[in-house]
Amino acid sequence: MIRDIMNNKTQFISIFLMAFLGVFLFTGITGEYVGIEENVANFYEDTNMADGWIYSPYLNDMFLEQVWLLGATTDMERQLVVDSVGDFENDPEITLHFVENNTLSKFYLVEGKPLDINDSNGVWLDKRFADAHGLKVGDTISFECEGYKIEKEIKGLGYSPEYVYQTSSSSIGHKFDKIGYAYMSYKAFPEDNIPYNVLNVKFDGTPEDYENLVDYRLNGYYSSFIDKDNHPSVYQFSQEIARHKMMADIFPSVFIIITMLILLTTMTRIIAHQRTQIGIMKASGFRNRAITFHYISYGFWLVLFGSILGLILGPMLMPHLFYPSMIKSYTLPSWNTSWNMNFAYIVALLVLFSLAVSSHAISNIANEKPSLTIKPKPPKTSTSGFVEKLKIWKRLSFNFRWNYRDVKRNKLRGIMAIIGVMGCSALLVGAFGLYDGLNDVKDWEYGEINHYDSKMIIDLNASSSMIDDAASEVNGDEIMEGAIELKSNDIKKSGSLLVYNSTDLITPTDKDHNRIDIANDEVSMSRKMADLLGVGIGDTVRWHIVGSNKWVNTTIDRIHADPLTQGLIMSQDELEKLDLNYTPTSVVTSQHVNKTYDGFKTTNSLNDIRNNWDEITETMWMIIYTLIFFACVLIIIVLYNLGAMSFTEIETEIATLKVLGFQSSDLRRLLLTQNLMFTAIGFILGIPLGLYILGLMWGASGDTFYLIPILTPMNIILTAAITFGLSIMVNLMFSGKIKKLDMVESLKGGE
């Protein structure tokens, strides 16, 4: 076995590497996403995260009694959650939580003292915000909210389960010096009567059943209910995990399939070459069982060792490719990888497959009689196929005809080459498709739809005169943006509302990026939201602004497409027809605003927003780089292995052609032609598979993203350049072997 492995080291190294990479990728990516699943699950459990949140301005004792009488409620706790501005130079947004008991969605302490519900002077602050501003336990911090200035001593630093992912109303980036949160006792609120507005609840049963109970008993007295799975932080993080899980399910499968194909072709060739040797062993008294065990052990040990190495290194190395970029966007107390029993199952399955493949390769010859096995196997009868009977056959070049017949004799080798190239092309198409998609989202959202220069975020306490004066000075347009909930039949989705007055700085588009005009008396819904709700033009949806318990019905007049923002667009007149207040939230202008205006929290330039987009998509870029790298590794291993195998199998034919006068350049062209044939077929078949993989990737991006997987000419060009370039490079590695070929030895070996 050792001698055979050394004589066929290229093929067996390929088997070892492919088994290693398949298990390495599976265990590495799975260990990463299972690890963060367990980390976040433990975080939610340790903090007793709520099952749902009821938003209402009427959270008095009578309301609590009604919630308890629902029967399904097992625990509840009121909070006052308000936005504030920290007393810092950059006016950061800090969400304040005034809690009653700190029993649900508890503050997770990292430094300092535990949250004391009787402490009216202390505040427990977001650790990442504190680190960004150099704050520590014992420092004093001030907040401005609801017309109050609150100054407290920092008693503790930590995290909250409700802010694993945190968004800002004034920025899409994750600048922890600009956004944060803080927890305080209800006794820290400046007034005795606290206007609680959020009720955290734990309940039995499904969220749908519980919401129906709440709606039945408390309809009109609460504005909205959000269950745990649809909480913005939980939902965003679960979608991130889903993308990694999809990658773990698809990516390693290609390597595992190729491993088995390489093993099958290698063992079939070795057994065919050692046919006479096997016959001699049989005649010498070796049993079929011993011979079978000998040959199946080749693949067994290599696949086992490669799988064990991948099992060890995968969870150790792979997660650390993704964690640094994820830590920039998400907050967890720990980022540990996890070991899963599926790792052992995949190794066992891979080893069993190797035994089955090797057993299949030896099965026919093992059952033959020694008198038949000891003789060389009669060559296959070569018959002219349909193509060879065509009149054009004799006009074709010798190069093409020779390769066509060689492929007919070695179908399995050709199939393996095609599958390997197809897998490589599919991964590259998916990777470059993600690249195109991310750039398309950025250009579409922050170029074609939004093409202002500056966006000035209005403070909640700003007066109308402040807003109008600033808008007039910068020649800007006021717009209103907000979170809404929409219902259609039994489907409920969270979305966004945009109210604007035909400003030229925001241009709604259709799915083909063409501008659409929305009249003042029309309401337009985004394509993704319409698909999620199962509605279209002419249908009616029910919706309300988050924070308000007033639901309204709206007929959809138009459908627009937006890659990032899903919801409704309407004019101020249409909003006021629904008896809803128009409250501008920002001013957009074509001017570059550097000045600070009274009544405005901050100003973001479109260029800054585009840069922030690159930061929050850093994890997606890491996925792209990983796909490209391992796709290249795949095609190099597969094609080099096949090249070595092909050269060995046709060594006698190559020597014969050299004797007949063929130059080394002619023979190199002969091998290159076959290689390019397989590459071309695999490349063509890999394109639709790559589009399918791309669709799965975008599908795992959640309800917010709307992007149709597209295949751009540049995607095809880059994929073709890499695929064919590597194919030619691998082929050139065998040029030296043709020149150094010992023709006498090769020809005598054929005898």
Side-chain angles (χ1 to χ4, degrees):
M1 182 181 68
I2 294 175
R3 184 176 62 240
D4 286 339
I5 289 176
M6 293 304 296
N7 291 336
N8 301 275
K9 54 182 174 293
T10 300
Q11 288 76 37
F12 284 113
I13 289 174
S14 299
I15 293 168
F16 175 85
L17 287 176
M18 296 299 285
F20 163 72
L21 288 173
V23 176
F24 175 83
L25 289 171
F26 178 80
T27 58
I29 301 174
T30 303
E32 180 255 336
Y33 86 76
V34 170
I36 57 178
E37 271 186 332
E38 292 181 357
N39 291 334
V40 76
N42 292 335
F43 185 35
Y44 292 158
E45 183 178 355
D46 292 342
T47 54
N48 195 27
M49 190 173 187
D51 293 332
W53 293 260
I54 300 174
Y55 295 85
S56 171
Y58 309 111
L59 295 181
N60 52 30
D61 292 339
M62 185 178 295
F63 188 98
L64 298 183
E65 182 180 358
Q66 293 299 313
V67 173
W68 190 256
L69 290 175
L70 294 175
T73 306
T74 59
D75 197 4
M76 57 185 172
E77 178 190 341
R78 291 181 297 186
Q79 291 188 4
L80 170 62
V81 182
V82 293
D83 294 328
S84 75
V85 177
D87 188 14
F88 295 90
E89 184 177 349
N90 62 346
D91 294 331
E93 300 175 19
I94 305 175
T95 305
L96 303 182
H97 291 249
F98 295 91
V99 299
E100 256 190 330
N101 345 359
N102 193 39
T103 56
L104 295 180
S105 297
K106 296 184 293 184
F107 184 81
Y108 184 92
L109 186 69
V110 177
E111 297 178 24
K113 299 178 181 179
L115 195 154
D116 185 355
I117 208 66
N118 295 311
D119 188 344
S120 61
N121 297 315
V123 61
W124 283 258
L125 191 62
D126 169 17
K127 187 177 186 304
R128 302 196 72 168
F129 177 86
D131 291 343
H133 286 276
L135 299 172
K136 59 184 183 298
V137 175
D139 291 346
T140 300
I141 185 172
S142 298
F143 314 94
E144 292 184 7
C145 74
E146 305 289 329
Y148 300 102
K149 183 171 183 178
I150 303 173
E151 186 172 327
K152 302 293 179 183
E153 179 186 350
I154 301 174
K155 296 293 182 70
L157 303 176
Y159 306 121
S160 167
E162 296 183 13
Y163 295 97
V164 172
Y165 176 80
Q166 187 178 10
T167 57
S168 167
S169 61
S170 59
S171 174
I172 69 166
H174 299 86
K175 303 293 186 182
F176 291 101
D177 63 329
K178 293 184 178 180
I179 54 175
Y181 51 87
Y183 281 68
M184 286 178 272
S185 164
Y186 68 97
K187 293 182 179 181
F189 191 69
E191 295 184 4
D192 293 333
N193 295 322
I194 303 177
Y196 292 111
N197 55 10
V198 180
L199 182 64
N200 296 6
V201 293
K202 298 280 281 188
F203 54 82
D204 294 327
T206 65
E208 292 78 15
D209 291 341
Y210 189 78
E211 183 177 6
N212 290 335
L213 289 172
V214 172
D215 195 55
Y216 175 76
R217 187 175 288 271
L218 297 166
N219 187 22
Y221 291 94
Y222 78 102
S223 58
S224 63
F225 169 80
I226 297 178
D227 64 85
K228 181 177 177 180
D229 290 339
N230 288 310
H231 187 280
S233 171
V234 177
Y235 178 79
Q236 176 66 27
F237 197 60
S238 65
Q239 291 302 312
E240 183 69 45
I241 293 174
R243 284 192 288 271
H244 293 244
K245 185 176 181 180
M246 177 275 304
M247 201 173 151
D249 292 340
I250 294 177
F251 201 18
S253 303
V254 178
F255 286 84
I256 292 172
I257 292 171
I258 298 299
T259 302
M260 294 300 105
L261 285 173
I262 293 176
L263 179 59
L264 178 60
T265 54
T266 301
M267 293 310 303
T268 301
R269 185 173 63 83
I270 289 175
I271 291 167
H273 284 186
Q274 297 186 359
R275 177 182 179 83
T276 303
Q277 178 178 309
I278 294 171
I280 293 172
M281 286 194 293
K282 284 188 174 189
S284 301
F286 284 87
R287 295 185 178 182
N288 289 340
R289 183 186 303 172
I291 294 171
T292 300
F293 180 79
H294 169 69
Y295 283 100
I296 66 174
S297 63
Y298 285 58
F300 171 80
W301 292 113
L302 289 167
V303 170
L304 180 64
F305 290 150
S307 299
I308 290 175
L309 186 62
L311 180 65
I312 295 170
L313 296 181
M316 288 175 57
L317 302 178
M318 198 70 182
H320 299 290
L321 290 176
F322 297 100
Y323 282 169
S325 60
M326 293 184 67
I327 290 172
K328 293 180 181 179
S329 302
Y330 304 100
T331 301
L332 286 177
S334 60
W335 292 84
N336 300 317
T337 58
S338 178
W339 203 91
N340 190 284
M341 275 305 297
N342 288 334
F343 299 172
Y345 296 151
I346 196 68
V347 170
L349 193 63
L350 198 55
V351 171
L352 288 175
F353 279 161
S354 72
L355 292 174
V357 167
S358 299
S359 179
H360 173 74
I362 190 65
S363 60
N364 291 332
I365 198 169
N367 295 323
E368 284 184 357
K369 294 179 180 180
S371 58
L372 295 175
T373 309
I374 205 168
K375 298 177 182 179
K377 189 174 182 179
K380 294 180 181 179
T381 304
S382 180
T383 58
S384 298
F386 171 75
V387 175
E388 293 162 298
K389 293 179 180 179
L390 296 174
K391 292 182 179 180
I392 197 175
W393 173 255
K394 292 184 179 180
R395 298 181 183 178
L396 297 173
S397 66
F398 171 79
N399 195 327
F400 179 85
R401 288 184 290 171
W402 187 89
N403 277 299
Y404 176 80
R405 284 175 171 163
D406 184 58
V407 171
K408 280 181 63 179
R409 290 192 300 267
N410 300 281
K411 295 183 180 67
L412 184 60
R413 172 159 49 87
I415 291 172
M416 188 175 70
I418 291 170
I419 291 177
V421 175
M422 182 172 67
C424 169
S425 299
L427 294 178
L428 289 175
V429 167
F432 291 127
L434 279 178
Y435 175 87
D436 292 335
L438 290 177
N439 286 328
D440 185 48
V441 167
K442 183 168 72 171
D443 294 338
W444 187 6
E445 182 73 21
Y446 306 117
E448 298 176 39
I449 296 177
N450 299 288
H451 36 85
Y452 49 81
D453 183 276
S454 299
K455 184 176 185 179
M456 304 165 63
I457 310 301
I458 299 173
D459 193 284
L460 293 176
N461 300 320
S463 65
S464 298
S465 59
M466 290 179 179
I467 299 171
D468 293 340
D469 290 345
S472 176
E473 184 173 336
V474 299
N475 193 26
D477 297 316
E478 300 172 15
I479 63 172
M480 172 182 172
E481 296 173 298
I484 60 175
E485 282 187 316
L486 304 99
K487 284 185 179 180
S488 176
N489 298 321
D490 295 329
I491 304 174
K492 184 179 78 169
K493 293 292 179 182
S494 297
S496 62
L497 172 68
L498 170 63
V499 181
Y500 77 124
N501 296 306
S502 301
T503 174
D504 292 331
L505 302 176
I506 299 177
T507 306
T509 63
D510 60 17
K511 64 178 182 178
D512 297 318
H513 299 206
N514 298 316
R515 174 173 180 162
I516 61 172
D517 294 319
I518 303 172
N520 280 341
D521 59 348
E522 291 181 330
V523 175
S524 180
M525 176 177 282
S526 65
R527 169 63 60 185
K528 183 68 175 282
M529 183 60 70
D531 292 341
L532 292 171
L533 295 175
V535 297
I537 294 176
D539 293 332
T540 299
V541 294
R542 186 170 171 80
W543 62 279
H544 79 109
I545 298 174
V546 172
S548 168
N549 59 356
K550 182 175 182 177
W551 288 79
V552 295
N553 294 319
T554 298
T555 301
I556 302 170
D557 302 302
R558 285 188 174 272
I559 298 290
H560 67 275
D562 193 299
L564 291 180
T565 307
Q566 312 308 326
L568 300 176
I569 296 178
M570 64 184 68
S571 66
Q572 178 180 346
D573 293 340
E574 189 64 23
L575 182 74
E576 292 174 346
K577 282 182 185 178
L578 298 170
D579 198 23
L580 296 174
N581 293 327
Y582 174 73
T583 307
T585 58
S586 57
V587 171
V588 293
T589 173
S590 58
Q591 297 181 18
H592 187 72
V593 179
N594 292 318
K595 182 180 175 181
T596 301
Y597 290 88
D598 292 336
F600 289 82
K601 291 191 290 187
T602 187
T603 299
N604 299 317
S605 71
L606 197 62
N607 188 53
D608 290 338
I609 295 176
R610 289 168 65 91
N611 292 334
N612 288 339
W613 166 255
D614 291 335
E615 291 181 12
I616 65 175
T617 55
E618 191 172 332
T619 303
M620 294 289 286
W621 288 109
M622 184 57 64
I623 291 176
I624 292 172
Y625 302 146
T626 304
L627 285 171
I628 294 174
F629 175 76
F630 283 105
C632 294
V633 171
L634 172 66
I635 195 171
I636 290 173
I637 293 176
V638 170
L639 291 182
Y640 188 83
N641 171 74
L642 290 174
M645 186 184 301
S646 175
F647 187 84
T648 303
E649 289 179 346
I650 63 174
E651 190 172 340
T652 302
E653 288 90 334
I654 294 293
T656 303
L657 292 174
K658 289 194 75 173
V659 170
L660 292 175
F662 282 80
Q663 300 296 318
S664 295
S665 58
D666 298 324
L667 298 177
R668 283 198 298 269
R669 190 160 49 249
L670 203 66
L671 296 179
L672 180 61
T673 300
Q674 185 176 127
N675 208 359
L676 292 178
M677 284 170 54
F678 292 147
T679 303
I681 296 172
F683 170 73
I684 293 170
L685 295 178
I687 290 175
L689 179 60
L691 275 174
Y692 174 74
I693 292 175
L694 182 59
L696 293 178
M697 291 177 179
W698 282 123
S701 298
D703 295 344
T704 302
F705 276 91
Y706 173 73
L707 196 67
I708 301 172
I710 56 173
L711 188 65
T712 63
M714 185 55 66
N715 187 330
I716 297 176
I717 292 171
L718 287 173
T719 301
I722 293 175
T723 305
F724 284 93
L726 291 174
S727 176
I728 294 171
M729 182 191 74
V730 171
N731 185 266
L732 293 176
M733 294 179 183
F734 297 98
S735 300
K737 290 189 175 185
I738 295 176
K739 290 181 180 180
K740 297 176 182 179
L741 183 65
D742 189 330
M743 293 183 288
V744 175
E745 182 180 342
S746 299
L747 293 172
K748 292 295 290 183
E751 297 177 4

